[in-house]
Amino acid sequence: MAAVQISLSREVIERLDLSPVQAVVLPDAVPPADLVVQFAIDYPRDPSDPRELSEVPEVRLWFIRLDAHYPWLPLFLDWQAELARYVAMLVPHQFSPQDGIQFNPEALDIFIMGKIFYLHHWFHSQGQERQGKLQQMAEVLGYQLDPQLFQLLAQAP
């Protein structure tokens, strides 16, 4: 497993600078299958600021830009440590100290299906069939995919 930690400073985030990611993977290159990415975010806030990082507009904007340049990146995140936080940067949610992240269900549906459609096409363009990986990613987010979906995608023009 090629585990990589990408450090993000306040300056990198506020400049919308993707160079820390580009040092690990190029936008158009297929990363190694064993790549596992984690983020170390150093974005100091006032101690009285109760917001989670995913609620800070500058941090969210950086992750939106990241996702636009690397739409396949969720496949390579450390799912246990990073996937929910990554999705929280992109999907409306509420945070509760007791229940954790509660995603807006419709927004999560749209996000997951958009990723599944994109990633299925991306894998197919790479000559790979990775239905199991896509199902696992969805399951980590509490989403069950109907296996017939992949049959439809395989037959769709």
Side-chain angles (χ1 to χ4, degrees):
M1 180 184 325
V4 175
Q5 186 173 69
I6 298 172
S7 297
L8 305 177
S9 67
R10 181 182 201 112
E11 294 77 27
V12 163
I13 290 169
E14 289 179 351
R15 287 192 331 258
L16 296 175
D17 180 1
L18 297 180
S19 64
V21 178
Q22 292 165 341
V24 176
V25 288
L26 299 173
D28 298 326
V30 178
D34 65 344
L35 177 67
V36 177
V37 174
Q38 291 184 328
F39 290 99
I41 303 172
D42 180 19
Y43 195 87
R45 299 181 309 283
D46 186 290
S48 65
D49 188 344
R51 298 176 297 173
E52 296 292 316
L53 283 172
S54 62
E55 297 171 312
V56 176
E58 295 84 359
V59 177
R60 290 189 83 169
L61 188 61
W62 188 90
F63 275 89
I64 291 167
R65 182 161 192 252
L66 174 69
D67 194 64
H69 283 262
Y70 298 89
W72 42 258
L73 189 61
L75 287 172
F76 299 95
L77 294 174
D78 177 339
W79 287 352
Q80 215 168 15
E82 291 289 338
L83 187 58
R85 181 170 73 165
Y86 183 89
V87 173
M89 299 292 181
L90 305 170
V91 175
H93 63 281
Q94 299 290 321
F95 183 80
S96 158
Q98 295 83 14
D99 301 323
I101 296 174
Q102 300 295 309
F103 291 105
N104 174 295
E106 292 84 13
L108 185 60
D109 286 348
I110 291 167
F111 174 81
I112 289 174
M113 292 314 300
K115 283 295 177 197
I116 296 300
F117 290 155
Y118 172 81
L119 293 169
H120 182 271
H121 173 75
W122 184 73
F123 275 136
H124 185 72
S125 72
Q126 304 298 319
Q128 301 178 29
E129 294 301 323
R130 302 286 302 271
Q131 175 181 332
K133 182 87 170 171
L134 297 177
Q135 285 178 316
Q136 289 172 347
M137 185 180 75
E139 287 172 5
V140 168
L141 296 168
Y143 203 85
Q144 297 295 317
L145 296 176
D146 185 335
Q148 290 182 334
L149 172 66
F150 294 102
Q151 292 173 352
L152 287 172
L153 289 175
Q155 297 169 0

